[in-house]
Amino acid sequence: MPKAFDAANPPFDRLTPKEVETLRAALDIVYFRPGEAIIEQDTPADALYVVIKGTIEERDGSDLLALLGPKDSFDSRALVHGKSGHTFLAREETLCYAAPKAAIVDLIQSNPRFASFFYRDISRKLDEFVRDEEEQRYGSLMRSRISELFLHPAAFIDAGDTVEAAGHMMHEIDSNALFVRDGERIGIITGMNLSKAVVLRRQSIQTPVREFAHFDVITVRPDDFVSSALVLMTKLNKRRVAVRDGERFVGVLEDIDVLGFLAGSAQVVAGRIERASTQDDLAVAARETTAQVRTLRRQGVGVELIGEIVSDLNQRLFSRLFEMVAPAEFRTSGCLIVMGSEGRGEQTVRTDQDNGLILSEPVDKPTLDAFRADFSGALASFGFPPCPGNVMVSSPAWSKPLSDYLADFRNWIALPDNTSHLNVAIFYDARAVAGNAQLLTKAKTTLIEMVRGEQAFLAHFARAIDTFATPIGLFKNLITSAGNGDALDLKKGGIFPIVHGVRSLALEHGLMETATDKRIARLRDIGVLHADFARELSQAFQFMLMLRLDGQLAASAGTSGTLVRPSSLSSMERDLLRDAFQVVKQFREFTRRHFNLGAF
């Protein structure tokens, strides 16, 4: 029995310990000579092979498709679907584990997670991968530290101060609990304690708070597990605990905040934005929005939903800021828009400002200049850095009357160049967040009408999909760059070709959707994309967004997070990334044929 068999290697990592032992008992080790055919094309297979040492060639007729090395397995299709689509032969002296077909079929029938590996299409593999990941993430959630949660401020009041003073302090700091200092003792008093004292016990609001404070304070440490705090609250029937770092009280943790952390508290951030009365309040909400991304990802929330949540919170933030700094005439006769990934609802980790303003008619220049500076400056103070391309409200090119935008559209289409194509792409992804949204609708409708039938323009527009090469080789190997530290760029090699290819097709067909996944769905519905391929394209896109987000969250401040080192991924993730890049290659080829890019 081959004890050295690595059961942590996908797909065998999905087996139970008992199933692993059953499989190991059935395994054999086989030797193949150089040039020896192991599985012939269009023939069934009697085993699933896993390479121990050597190299296997996967061929379609005389075409070499892939080279398989140690830990790679083959041919799952021949086992499940009756015959192999390709030939597998030894390139050199090769050793393999051989798992008998009967044993593998039994495991497929008894273990759905193991069976998912044998699906033909990437979309089903990705669905199963995401479910596995969610199970792991939910398990790790309770192992988070208290320091990662929202804490109410550690505000102190003297035991001799009055109930009235305590009430005012709670209101000022927006907290429902205060620490009470009574000589050497530290207690706590809550808003409920104050209410009961005044309403139920008819106490004077001038009564000292020591009369109602509780001095049996339960404390936890910032580095304690969230699960420990929850167990403590439940066991002692406490709604809040004090957080103390050594001798210093650093905050108050309430049960609602623990539950909010476990369930997601985006609605809390949204409420803070709606209640904000100053730009400082909005700055706090902006920081909390950034923190939400990490929390939601830890909870296993899908990257597409994280994008929607973050976009919604940012939209509320921009809209509230617009109300604060825009003159009244701008709020009724202007439309604030966001563009780029923010407009598509695909921005997760905060990047540059990509916004603009459409006005119904010309306005006073000093007033407009003041608004431009105030709005963009406020966003910069919230942590939204200026756009390197100056696509932002502070630029006169992106904050002007509708008539000026329409004139730009005519120039962009009549005299197209790389800048014109980029500007069309930017504006086509725009979404209204405040003011008169009909201005954006009119602008987009006009842009679409101008482009309609302009096949030469659309073809040149679509050519940008070939700006960057897809980092996968002839033999399905992932191509990294030594200059990037043996990493590959997910955005350039995978995400951008899908975003822009889908955008080009959507623009050609006059679609008003902005999100890439919604554009894919509409292109499927109108018959441009085959349903199965649309699903694979969407799944590959979401998988790469997920890897990018994980990279962004792991990256140090100031880095893009779009670079991924295959060596840092699990073998399953590498396998799925290869599949995703294959889908990108197919989509790029489809787009080339569709727009006849070979003619250029």
Side-chain angles (χ1 to χ4, degrees):
M1 180 173 63
K3 289 292 186 183
F5 175 74
D6 183 7
N9 181 42
F12 308 106
D13 59 343
R14 301 179 174 203
L15 299 176
T16 66
K18 183 177 179 180
E19 289 171 335
V20 169
E21 291 307 311
T22 300
L23 177 62
R24 279 185 169 147
L27 287 176
D28 196 3
I29 295 179
V30 291
Y31 165 80
F32 299 104
R33 299 183 304 277
E36 181 177 354
I38 304 166
I39 303 175
E40 295 280 5
Q41 193 165 13
D42 296 323
T43 62
D46 57 6
L48 178 70
Y49 297 94
V50 182
V51 180
I52 301 173
K53 181 181 179 181
T55 304
I56 299 294
E57 295 182 358
E58 181 179 356
R59 289 185 171 272
D60 183 2
S62 60
D63 295 333
L64 180 60
L65 301 179
L67 296 175
L68 308 180
K71 293 192 176 183
D72 288 332
S73 58
F74 65 97
D75 175 30
S76 58
R77 177 175 297 184
L79 284 183
V80 176
H81 304 291
K83 61 182 181 179
S84 176
H86 303 139
T87 295
F88 295 85
L89 55 86
R91 168 172 279 206
E92 57 193 9
E93 289 188 328
T94 302
L95 288 177
C96 293
Y97 290 117
K101 178 177 180 178
I104 296 298
V105 170
D106 286 345
L107 291 171
I108 288 173
Q109 292 174 345
S110 62
N111 188 326
R113 294 176 63 246
F114 180 71
S116 69
F117 174 80
F118 298 88
Y119 297 150
R120 292 189 186 191
D121 54 290
I122 181 178
S123 58
R124 294 178 70 184
K125 287 183 181 179
L126 284 170
D127 282 343
E128 190 63 36
F129 174 79
V130 169
R131 282 194 290 270
D132 287 349
E133 188 190 53
E134 286 177 353
E135 291 177 7
Q136 295 171 5
R137 288 184 180 277
Y138 279 118
S140 67
L141 194 59
M142 295 295 284
R143 295 191 292 274
S144 300
R145 306 288 180 175
I146 289 173
S147 58
E148 300 177 53
L149 276 64
F150 171 79
L151 299 179
H152 295 272
F156 283 81
I157 190 169
D158 189 81
D161 286 339
T162 66
V163 167
E164 181 182 21
H168 283 299
M169 183 180 292
M170 288 181 186
H171 177 72
E172 289 170 4
I173 65 173
D174 191 24
S175 178
N176 196 44
L178 300 173
F179 288 112
V180 178
R181 197 185 302 276
D182 189 19
E184 296 298 317
R185 294 193 305 169
I186 297 294
I188 194 168
I189 192 167
T190 69
M192 182 60 71
N193 296 147
L194 300 183
S195 298
K196 287 182 176 180
V198 175
V199 177
L200 299 182
R201 297 169 58 181
R202 302 288 184 176
Q203 296 292 316
S204 167
I205 60 174
Q206 300 305 314
T207 305
V209 294
R210 70 161 53 88
E211 300 294 327
F212 316 111
H214 299 278
F215 291 92
D216 55 339
V217 179
I218 307 300
T219 63
V220 294
R221 296 172 301 179
D223 60 350
D224 284 344
F225 290 122
V226 171
S227 55
S228 300
L230 188 59
V231 169
L232 192 63
M233 288 178 175
T234 303
K235 183 178 179 180
L236 300 179
N237 194 27
K238 296 289 185 180
R239 293 193 57 191
R240 57 187 57 80
V241 292
V243 183
R244 192 163 82 174
D245 188 5
E247 295 301 314
R248 184 172 66 93
F249 286 87
V250 296
V252 176
L253 176 64
E254 298 195 356
D255 54 0
I256 191 65
D257 299 309
V258 176
L259 296 175
F261 175 76
L262 298 176
S265 54
Q267 72 280 6
V268 176
V269 181
R272 291 185 188 279
I273 294 172
E274 296 301 320
R275 294 192 301 272
S277 57
T278 67
Q279 291 187 27
D280 288 341
D281 294 337
L282 290 180
V284 172
R287 291 194 295 271
E288 291 177 349
T289 298
T290 301
Q292 279 296 301
V293 176
R294 192 175 298 275
T295 300
L296 291 167
R297 182 69 186 122
R298 186 188 293 110
Q299 293 169 337
V301 176
V303 67
E304 69 281 6
L305 184 55
I306 292 177
E308 288 184 19
I309 291 172
V310 171
S311 293
D312 178 69
L313 292 176
N314 283 343
Q315 176 176 334
R316 292 170 184 264
L317 182 78
F318 301 152
S319 178
R320 191 74 185 92
L321 177 62
F322 188 67
E323 292 176 5
M324 289 183 181
V325 303
E329 60 180 311
F330 287 15
R331 296 198 297 272
T332 57
S333 63
C335 177
L336 180 68
I337 60 175
V338 291
M339 295 169 282
S341 57
E342 189 74 69
R344 296 192 305 274
E346 294 159 5
Q347 182 164 297
T348 48
V349 175
R350 184 177 302 158
T351 55
D352 307 327
Q353 294 185 40
D354 280 303
N355 46 53
L357 178 69
I358 306 174
L359 296 165
S360 60
E361 57 188 19
V363 297
D364 177 66
K365 187 177 184 302
T367 302
L368 179 56
D369 287 342
F371 167 73
R372 286 167 174 161
D374 290 346
F375 187 83
S376 295
L379 286 183
S381 72
F382 296 169
F384 293 88
C387 173
N390 209 24
V391 180
M392 47 198 291
V393 162
S394 60
S395 168
W398 294 99
S399 54
K400 57 191 178 185
L402 174 61
S403 58
D404 289 352
Y405 279 105
L406 301 186
D408 283 344
F409 297 166
R410 286 188 285 271
N411 291 331
W412 295 345
I413 296 168
L415 302 170
D417 55 19
N418 290 339
T419 300
S420 298
H421 294 148
L422 178 61
N423 288 338
V424 169
I426 290 170
F427 197 91
Y428 185 51
D429 288 347
R431 178 166 53 96
V433 296
N436 182 3
Q438 289 302 312
L439 291 171
L440 176 61
T441 301
K442 184 174 182 179
K444 272 199 180 184
T445 302
T446 303
L447 175 62
I448 289 170
E449 287 300 321
M450 289 181 179
V451 171
R452 191 181 304 278
E454 296 287 343
Q455 291 306 122
F457 175 88
L458 288 166
H460 281 91
F461 181 78
R463 284 181 64 193
I465 64 164
D466 287 329
T467 303
F468 310 106
T470 302
I472 188 168
L474 180 62
F475 306 128
K476 298 169 81 170
N477 56 305
L478 297 172
I479 300 174
T480 60
S481 168
N484 286 329
D486 291 324
L488 53 85
D489 195 314
L490 277 175
K491 182 177 180 180
K492 291 180 179 179
I495 295 172
F496 174 77
I498 293 178
V499 168
H500 189 68
V502 168
R503 177 165 50 210
S504 301
L505 294 167
L507 180 59
E508 178 189 33
H509 290 85
L511 306 184
M512 293 295 285
E513 287 80 5
T514 55
T516 301
D517 59 343
K518 289 182 172 59
R519 286 172 173 170
I520 291 174
R522 287 282 287 119
L523 291 169
R524 176 202 62 207
D525 292 343
I526 63 178
V528 177
L529 296 177
H530 187 276
D532 290 342
F533 184 67
R535 176 173 167 79
E536 290 197 351
L537 186 64
S538 181
Q539 290 280 32
F541 179 61
Q542 297 299 340
F543 177 66
M544 287 186 287
L545 287 181
M546 182 195 75
L547 289 184
R548 184 186 67 168
L549 174 57
D550 288 344
Q552 289 171 325
L553 293 176
S556 58
T559 59
S560 69
T562 64
L563 296 179
V564 169
R565 290 174 176 78
S567 59
S568 69
L569 304 176
S570 69
S571 55
M572 176 62 80
E573 287 173 325
R574 287 194 297 272
D575 180 56
L576 287 170
L577 186 56
R578 281 192 289 266
D579 285 345
F581 281 141
Q582 284 295 113
V583 173
V584 172
K585 289 183 71 173
Q586 293 174 40
F587 180 60
R588 288 174 65 165
E589 185 56 37
F590 170 85
T591 307
R592 290 190 193 102
R593 292 196 308 270
H594 182 88
F595 289 104
N596 194 25
L597 299 187
F600 296 98

